[in-house]
Amino acid sequence: MERNSGTGRSAEAQAFARSMRELKERSGRSYGALARDLHTSTSTLHRYCTGEALPAEFVVVDRFARACGARPADAVELHRAWLLADARRRAGAVEVAPPVEEGDGAAEAADIGVPGAPAPAQAPASAPRRTGRRLMLAGVAAAAVVALAVGVGWLPQTGRADPTAAAPSTAPGTATATGGATGTGPATGPTASQAAPETPAGPAATPAESGTSAGATGAPTAPAATGGPSPASPPLRAAVRSHVWAAGCDHAYLAEPAPSAVPPPPVEADAPAWAAGRKAVHAGTQIVEVTLLGTGPDPVVLEDLEVRVAGRRAPLRWNVYEMSQGCGGGLTPAGFTVNLDAPRPVARPVAGNDQGEKIEAPAFPIKISATEPAVLRVVASSTGCDCDWYLDLRWSAPTGSGTLRLDESGRPWRISAASPDRPVYGYAHERGRWSR
């Protein structure tokens, strides 16, 4: 999947496109040959290399670097350039649109040097097509690194509230930050030790919003022995994506409406809005990706990730809607797994696999800074409860130490196991309806 930048392309997107062109020219390969390795069209690859579009997924950048035979240092530079351009896009500096698949003639003509060959024209937007798979930045072999470097300050994502989340679970007195925004007053609600009643409950109704969700609650503690006073706010920021699908397509939601009232499944990027409109809840599994970056001149050490369960209820007796009836590939990202049914859930590191090549499991401590971000991928699951949960990230820095709460804009995330007697629906595109 790509993000179209059009005439509103940013300087960061242009720098990324320049890096791609340099690697392509150095490799001596054609657009067509590289596009086949990337499982995309030559026109799409041409738009990446001219700055007309930006890959929406890190895995596309990684595959391109490998296909070009990039040296590790060059691959890291390309990844850095993509991260900057993607951060600028997420911050709203670049208008985005769904991907458009066009004919490949113009791109091939430009590749072989046909005089006067035009750049591919921008066609009207059509339904997006997901072909890639998301890859956690941490732990990729050779060309990738645990934390990719960037050369400018953090460009935070815009916060989105999740209508499926439960009431806020923020300790009194903590400063709340949404997608890196300025802190507001303390939120109220049950703490992690105050579990919700053991009764079924539907999701709280909040306005529907689309896009990427982000939320973090910082709670600095006493200064470290080697540092000065504790900072007024954590020296790091977090951008959170809570509607991540396995392989970019495999996920399921619980929703109360009947199939006739539920629209077709969206692409992953549109999942927050689709779920909000149905008041849907993640069915059994939720994947969360957290991008972390320091905000000051000093490095920050991520010490540990602690799982908090704010409430457990009986599983929802709603219909199960599968977003795909079969997808996948050779990539299993490394990250952390969480069993929310355990009495004391913990985040366990697990290795990944990329077409037979092992991706090392992430391991704390992890150092980040204003130029070295890290991305943590957490896969949480439940087979026995309707759970409200969040994460506490312990950190330390020369100025002090503390805990950064990772959640849905001040509210816990929510997963519900599917009752075994509830119907499971997949969307039959040839018939235009949901079916069992």
Side-chain angles (χ1 to χ4, degrees):
M1 184 177 180
E2 68 183 65
R3 296 292 188 186
N4 247 340
S5 53
T7 57
R9 72 193 74 159
S10 66
E12 290 82 3
Q14 287 302 297
F16 170 73
R18 186 164 53 250
S19 295
M20 287 195 70
R21 290 196 302 271
E22 290 173 357
L23 279 180
K24 176 196 171 296
E25 292 169 3
R26 202 178 306 163
S27 73
R29 303 188 66 189
S30 68
Y31 280 108
L34 289 171
R36 284 191 292 274
D37 287 346
L38 269 62
H39 307 295
T40 188
S41 69
T42 53
S43 60
T44 295
L45 179 58
H46 189 265
R47 289 199 293 274
Y48 294 161
C49 291
T50 57
E52 294 294 330
L54 180 70
E57 296 176 332
F58 172 80
V59 68
V60 175
V61 182
D62 183 64
R63 282 179 176 163
F64 179 81
R66 295 187 188 193
C68 290
R71 296 168 297 185
D74 293 331
V76 170
E77 287 299 321
L78 183 67
H79 297 155
R80 177 191 294 118
W82 175 81
L83 188 60
L84 279 169
D86 189 58
R88 176 67 67 184
R89 174 183 61 78
R90 292 174 186 272
V94 179
E95 194 67 24
V96 300
V100 179
E101 293 295 335
E102 304 168 350
D104 298 336
E108 290 287 10
D111 184 50
I112 61 177
V114 176
Q122 296 292 337
S126 60
R129 295 164 54 186
R130 301 292 297 186
T131 58
R133 298 184 295 276
R134 293 199 174 272
L135 176 64
M136 189 181 92
L137 302 185
V140 182
V145 289
V146 170
L148 300 182
V150 290
V152 299
W154 176 235
L155 300 171
Q157 295 174 295
T158 302
R160 302 286 204 270
D162 186 348
T164 68
S169 179
T170 306
T174 57
T176 300
T178 301
T182 305
T184 61
T188 60
T191 63
S193 62
Q194 296 172 315
E198 299 288 336
T199 56
T206 55
E209 296 188 50
S210 61
T212 302
S213 60
T217 302
T221 63
T226 58
S230 179
S233 60
L236 70 163
R237 290 180 180 174
V240 180
R241 296 180 58 248
S242 60
H243 287 265
V244 179
W245 296 356
C249 57
D250 186 13
H251 198 64
Y253 291 97
L254 285 161
E256 191 172 21
S260 59
V262 176
V267 295
E268 183 189 60
D270 298 332
W274 187 94
R278 323 283 83 75
K279 298 182 181 179
V281 174
H282 299 280
T285 300
Q286 180 179 16
I287 302 175
V288 174
E289 284 185 355
V290 184
T291 302
L292 297 148
L293 194 71
T295 58
D298 298 317
V300 178
V301 176
L302 310 180
E303 301 285 358
D304 198 11
L305 199 59
E306 299 175 346
V307 182
R308 307 295 186 190
V309 178
R312 286 190 174 98
R313 298 168 294 273
L316 292 168
R317 295 184 55 79
W318 290 355
N319 298 325
V320 179
Y321 293 95
E322 294 182 335
M323 298 296 98
S324 172
Q325 293 181 300
C327 66
L331 176 65
T332 303
F336 299 88
T337 61
V338 174
N339 177 13
L340 293 175
D341 296 329
R344 301 185 66 178
V346 296
R348 302 185 183 279
V350 293
N353 187 284
D354 186 5
Q355 298 182 0
E357 183 177 349
K358 183 180 180 180
I359 303 175
E360 295 295 332
F364 291 107
I366 298 173
K367 186 178 75 171
I368 64 171
S369 69
T371 59
E372 293 181 286
V375 177
L376 306 180
R377 179 186 176 99
V378 180
V379 182
S381 61
S382 172
T383 59
C385 79
D386 176 9
C387 302
D388 300 327
W389 69 289
Y390 60 94
L391 296 168
D392 277 344
L393 179 67
R394 290 196 290 108
W395 58 269
S396 62
T399 54
S401 61
T403 299
L404 185 70
R405 179 166 297 178
L406 305 172
D407 54 23
E408 195 74 27
S409 301
R411 299 179 176 86
W413 297 305
R414 187 178 182 184
I415 300 174
S416 177
S419 297
D421 60 341
R422 299 307 301 160
V424 178
Y425 293 96
Y427 195 78
H429 290 275
E430 67 281 2
R431 288 180 286 178
R433 63 182 177 86
W434 295 94
S435 62
R436 298 176 64 175

